[in-house]
Amino acid sequence: MSLPLRFALRELRGGLSGLRLLAVCLILGVAALAGVGSLASAITQGLSERGQLVLGGDVEADLTSRFATPAERALLERQGIVSEVVRLRAMAARVGSDDRLLAEVKAVDGNWPLYGDFRIEGGARLSPGTAAIAAALGDKLGLKAGDRLTIGAGEFTVAGVVAEEPDKAGEGFGFGPGVIIRRADLDATGLLAPGSLFRTHYRLKLPPNIAPPVVVERLRKAAPDAGFQYQDRSNGAPGTRRFVDRLGQFLTLVGLTALVVAGVGVAGGVSAYLGARTRTIATLKTLGADTATIRAVYLWQIGLVTLGAVVIGLAIGAATPWVAVQFAADSLPVPPSLRPQWAALASAAAYGVLIALAFALWPLAQAARMPAARLFRSLTERRDRPGIGIVAVMALAAAAIIGIAVGNATDRLFVLGFIGAALGLIALLWGLAALVAWAAARAPRPRGTLARLALANLHRPGAPTRQLIVALGLGLTLFSTLAVIETNFNGQINRTLPDRAPSFFVIDIPNQDLAAFRAVVAKAAPAAEITTVPSLRGPVTAVKGVPVAQMNVPPDAWILRGDRGLSYAADFPPANTLVTGKWWPRDYAGPPLVSIDHDAATALNLKIGDELTVSVLGVDVTARIASTRKIDWQSLGFNFAILFAPGTLEAAPHSWMATLAVQPAEERAVQGGIGRAFPTASIVRVKDVIGQVGDLLRQLSAAIRAAASVTVAAGIAVLVGALAAGARARTYDAVLLKLLGATRGQVARATLAEYGLLALMVAGLALLLGGFAGWYTVTQVFKLEWQPDWWPVVATVLIGGAVTVLLGLAGSWPALSARPNVVLRDL
């Protein structure tokens, strides 16, 4: 190998030349994969390293709407130091003001925090009768240190704004800004009435050398029926970890798609580079070099450039967590670990090398196999297909890429589908290109000279039709998909939600005060529409008699994660569709029955007659499934995945929830009346929720655009590669046409007609494919209604096609500007 290596290094002294495109494509793809993988891995590692801080202890045992009994508390205290934290929602207001805001209240005892430090700005302390508030709460209610604040029925003095809260990251998403008070002050708020919804967290600080899983197993055996839900410091924020893992997987697939797309650009770049080296290869063969030597020379060159590009891409990816900390620290759930994430970097490097191998071997083998005489006529000669050995190596590289992607995935079926769709799109575009070339060769010749020239350019030897259609198709399909998704998001915000929305949600209405609540609302708004439903919460503890803790829970079995909203109903709920089974009669009085969400039943392979056990205030209630329902979660009403038949939950302490539809002029009076009469009830203004939903959809749209930008850049690289691969032949064509009397403008118009014809053909396919991809994303991934606005979608595709055509014309301009005397001396 020493002789090919010496030739390769000697030729590289003149610069990278056409291999720059290869380097750019690989740097782009590898940097995307390494960056996404490193950031996701760094955040996950940060969660693990800060497990005690995130969780607030070594072990956490949670209860819903009740406190541990003395015996249960004693069991916990035998394991280590115990801290009790109660979390619930309540209305907060400045004393003397009717403006109220839903807040997340956290009541802590004297042992909190077990790990880390809690600080209030200005050095104040959380003493009895005081509250520490989040900055957002102070801004919205105009509160500062020393002001008086009402929470429920209690009054507190604001101690100051929270500066550091060690276990904040593990608490997940909240519906309002936070307030921290002493546990001993919680009773004075009146928020702990029977049926109130709250969550009690018992955090344990274990002695040294005691493994948390051992303690969890000990607690499970000692109190199997207590209804505790356990976590330990190894997974202090499971929801955050799941989100990071899934987002990382999605972005990794986007990056992998970008790298595969860039691989097409790699093939074009290598083809262009070897086309420029045709005379060198022919000369070497004339002097006695065989095919293996030629292939080794340029394989060394491609390998060295690939290695350099991969190293640069890995360096960019490795720096991504550090850049994220510098510029987006507030958006991250926890500070990521800044150590190199070697597994993510190794995967990205493997992807880059395998992509380069898979896409560079074909043009390299074509150039190496051609005899010297045919290489001297390479502009008009068709290239031979590579042998079976090269095809086998390419297939093995592709299989290795898929194997790495699937092996690193949490949802392997989804990953296979994603990769299959990406490869299927490229194959479809490649087939369309072959069909276009075939049809152009057999189509009737137009009368106009420029039209005949444009048509001939589509099928002549060396025509870049396939590369151009792949580049145009990928870019326009992506533009179409993004436009469809964005118009649907805008439709959700501007049409569906406001049309359906009530004015308020009200939760934690005391059971005994339901009639009084209706009277207060009717007094403030006589024509108000009121819908009330009973409300409880509890986790599913067993499925078909098998405890959840002993199950291998499927990834999409969301109904088993955490607490579920529970209710009971005699009438079939609106915005629901019966899928299987039968609804019970209004006067049902038999054994416990339950109706559950159809998707949840499918995920758990449940059928009519199977048993489901739910813990209600620490008491396990087992019911048989009577029906499954398809739930319209966008109905902006109260929907429950688990609904019980009458006669099961009525005796349990519970509260009520309500939706209120009132006139805009009556909203302030209704909110003030409820706040004064029922200080422990929580009121959510639906317009605020819609605003948050709108912000979320806009953020999702921005995230999709940001993630897709890498693929867009890769598509542009493919277009550049296609133009570069055909640059030599196009220059030759332009020179011959000029010798025959054509002007630069005429050649430019013929080129523009060629690109315009391709863009029009591809635009229709892009609209079809983008519409389907957008429909799947909107309806199946985000579970939203299908409400596209096609005019912006069509305009986006047409503008994208026009810009791409102009970009192609600009890329062809050097060929159009070439001087015949200079080119002919070089041919």
Side-chain angles (χ1 to χ4, degrees):
M1 298 297 290
S2 61
L3 179 63
L5 178 59
R6 288 204 306 272
F7 275 113
L9 293 175
R10 185 175 299 171
E11 195 167 358
L12 283 177
R13 292 172 189 168
L16 294 179
S17 184
L19 291 180
R20 291 193 187 96
L21 182 61
L22 165 68
V24 169
C25 289
L26 288 179
I27 290 173
L28 181 69
V30 171
L33 285 168
V36 167
S38 292
L39 184 58
S41 178
I43 292 175
T44 301
Q45 187 173 337
L47 286 170
S48 299
E49 292 174 350
R50 296 168 176 81
Q52 291 173 326
L53 291 177
V54 171
L55 183 64
D58 297 305
V59 171
E60 181 178 81
D62 296 347
L63 290 172
T64 300
S65 296
R66 78 175 185 93
F67 297 97
T69 64
E72 292 167 345
R73 179 67 185 247
L75 173 63
L76 295 173
E77 290 176 344
R78 286 196 294 270
Q79 315 306 317
I81 301 174
V82 178
S83 172
E84 182 183 83
V85 176
V86 183
R87 297 186 64 223
L88 67 167
R89 300 182 183 95
M91 301 303 294
R94 183 174 180 168
V95 172
S97 173
D98 284 338
D99 291 333
R100 298 175 181 273
L101 187 68
L102 186 67
E104 296 280 344
V105 179
K106 179 160 72 174
V108 299
D109 64 7
N111 287 336
W112 180 87
L114 294 175
Y115 292 98
D117 297 317
F118 169 65
R119 293 189 302 107
I120 299 174
E121 289 182 0
R125 300 181 63 83
L126 188 65
S127 56
T130 65
I133 62 174
L137 185 66
D139 293 340
K140 292 180 179 180
L141 295 180
L143 293 167
K144 61 182 184 301
D147 289 343
R148 297 288 288 172
L149 168 74
T150 63
I151 301 174
E155 288 192 10
F156 297 84
T157 300
V158 176
V161 173
V162 175
E164 183 177 354
E165 187 178 352
D167 55 352
K168 179 66 175 176
E171 294 175 351
F173 175 77
F175 287 94
V179 179
I180 300 176
I181 62 175
R182 286 288 184 184
R183 171 66 183 87
D185 295 329
L186 184 59
D187 292 336
T189 64
L191 298 173
L192 299 179
S196 297
L197 299 179
F198 62 92
R199 186 86 169 158
T200 312
H201 306 266
Y202 294 95
R203 280 92 177 259
L204 278 68
K205 183 176 184 179
L206 303 179
N209 303 321
I210 300 296
V214 174
V215 174
V216 170
E217 187 61 27
R218 188 186 304 159
L219 292 172
R220 290 188 194 277
K221 291 181 178 179
D225 301 323
F228 283 114
Q229 290 185 290
Y230 298 100
Q231 295 181 54
D232 64 50
R233 66 191 181 207
S234 65
N235 193 15
T240 302
R241 186 182 293 269
R242 278 195 303 271
F243 173 77
V244 170
D245 288 345
R246 290 179 179 178
L247 182 62
Q249 176 176 294
F250 172 75
L251 294 179
T252 296
L253 291 173
V254 172
L256 183 58
T257 303
L259 193 57
V260 172
V261 172
V264 181
V266 167
V270 171
S271 179
Y273 176 71
L274 294 175
R277 295 292 185 272
T278 298
R279 287 194 171 189
T280 302
I281 297 173
T283 302
L284 289 172
K285 285 200 167 190
T286 302
L287 295 175
D290 58 10
T291 297
T293 301
I294 298 297
R295 186 165 55 234
V297 169
Y298 290 98
L299 193 60
W300 269 114
Q301 292 186 21
I302 293 169
L304 291 172
V305 174
T306 296
L307 179 62
V310 168
V311 169
I312 295 173
L314 292 178
I316 296 172
T320 300
W322 182 86
V323 174
V325 169
Q326 302 303 314
F327 297 99
D330 293 340
S331 301
L332 301 176
V334 296
S337 172
L338 298 182
R339 292 196 295 272
Q341 304 301 311
W342 298 114
L345 296 177
S347 294
Y351 283 135
V353 171
L354 291 170
I355 286 289
L357 182 66
F359 283 91
L361 278 181
W362 186 280
L364 177 59
Q366 285 183 319
R369 282 170 60 92
M370 287 183 69
R374 292 179 62 193
L375 282 170
F376 281 118
R377 302 191 303 270
S378 62
L379 285 177
T380 57
E381 289 283 342
R382 292 188 180 274
R383 303 267 174 133
D384 295 333
R385 293 182 181 274
I388 189 65
I390 296 297
V391 175
V393 172
M394 294 172 60
L396 287 174
I401 292 169
I402 296 173
I404 295 173
V406 173
N408 291 336
T410 53
D411 188 347
R412 295 180 177 178
L413 187 62
F414 172 74
V415 170
L416 283 173
F418 190 99
I419 294 175
L423 295 179
L425 174 60
I426 294 176
L428 179 62
L429 293 171
W430 202 261
L432 174 65
L435 179 62
V436 168
W438 180 86
R442 290 159 178 78
R445 296 295 178 263
R447 291 186 177 182
T449 302
L450 295 181
R452 288 201 306 272
L453 181 59
L455 185 65
N457 281 342
L458 295 177
H459 65 84
R460 60 174 173 76
T465 302
R466 288 188 177 182
Q467 294 93 326
L468 289 173
I469 285 184
V470 170
L472 285 169
L474 290 171
L476 295 183
T477 300
L478 185 60
F479 291 152
S480 175
T481 302
L482 293 177
V484 168
I485 293 173
E486 288 206 39
T487 59
N488 270 277
F489 283 174
N490 292 333
Q492 306 299 322
I493 299 169
N494 299 326
R495 294 191 296 272
T496 303
L497 296 180
D499 291 343
R500 298 180 176 184
S503 305
F504 297 103
F505 295 135
V506 186
I507 58 178
D508 283 340
I509 304 169
N511 189 15
Q512 69 277 10
D513 294 332
L514 185 59
F517 170 81
R518 289 180 174 274
V520 169
V521 174
K523 181 178 180 181
E529 296 180 12
I530 307 174
T531 302
T532 58
V533 293
S535 171
L536 302 92
R537 290 191 72 82
V540 177
T541 57
V543 177
K544 292 191 273 191
V546 179
V548 172
Q550 300 176 13
M551 292 175 56
N552 184 16
V553 178
D556 53 349
W558 51 267
I559 199 170
L560 301 184
R561 291 196 292 267
D563 293 342
R564 294 292 108 204
L566 308 174
S567 190
Y568 56 88
D571 298 319
F572 191 79
N576 285 234
T577 303
L578 190 67
V579 179
T580 61
K582 296 181 179 179
W583 190 256
W584 43 74
R586 296 192 81 255
D587 57 351
Y588 179 78
L593 296 178
V594 71
S595 175
I596 70 171
D597 174 70
H598 182 72
D599 293 336
T602 302
L604 293 172
N605 195 27
L606 293 172
K607 59 184 183 299
I608 304 303
D610 288 341
E611 290 186 341
L612 196 71
T613 302
V614 181
S615 177
V616 181
L617 299 177
V619 178
D620 281 346
V621 178
T622 299
R624 292 192 176 276
I625 297 175
S627 64
T628 65
R629 295 163 289 119
K630 195 71 176 178
I631 302 174
D632 180 8
W633 296 104
Q634 298 180 72
S635 60
L636 289 181
F638 290 119
N639 292 301
F640 295 88
I642 302 175
L643 267 177
F644 280 84
T648 303
L649 300 182
E650 286 88 333
H654 62 276
S655 59
W656 289 75
M657 299 190 295
T659 60
L660 307 178
V662 301
Q663 296 299 317
E666 300 170 329
E667 289 183 357
R668 188 176 181 85
V670 169
Q671 189 172 11
I674 295 173
R676 288 187 295 270
F678 306 99
T680 60
S682 298
I683 311 168
V684 182
R685 192 167 180 261
V686 177
K687 288 182 180 179
D688 296 336
V689 175
I690 292 176
Q692 292 177 358
V693 170
D695 292 340
L696 176 61
L697 293 177
R698 281 184 282 271
Q699 290 170 4
L700 284 173
S701 180
I704 291 171
R705 287 198 302 271
S709 62
V710 177
T711 310
V712 172
I716 294 173
V718 171
L719 180 61
V720 173
L723 296 173
R728 190 162 176 256
R730 196 168 289 277
T731 301
Y732 183 63
D733 290 344
V735 166
L736 290 181
L737 289 171
K738 287 179 181 180
L739 289 175
L740 295 173
T743 65
R744 181 191 299 178
Q746 289 175 319
V747 179
R749 287 196 294 274
T751 303
L752 185 62
E754 175 191 352
Y755 289 158
L757 182 61
L758 290 177
L760 284 176
M761 288 188 295
V762 173
L765 180 63
L767 280 173
L768 179 64
L769 296 175
F772 175 76
W775 170 83
Y776 184 85
T777 303
V778 169
T779 61
Q780 305 302 311
V781 177
F782 296 115
K783 305 297 183 183
L784 299 174
E785 287 187 0
W786 176 240
Q787 292 185 333
D789 188 352
W790 288 108
W791 285 114
V793 176
V794 173
T796 299
V797 172
L798 292 179
I799 293 173
V803 171
T804 306
V805 168
L806 294 177
L807 180 62
L809 185 62
S812 300
W813 194 254
L816 302 178
S817 303
R819 293 182 177 275
N821 59 338
V822 176
V823 174
L824 289 175
R825 282 197 300 268
D826 188 53
L827 287 174

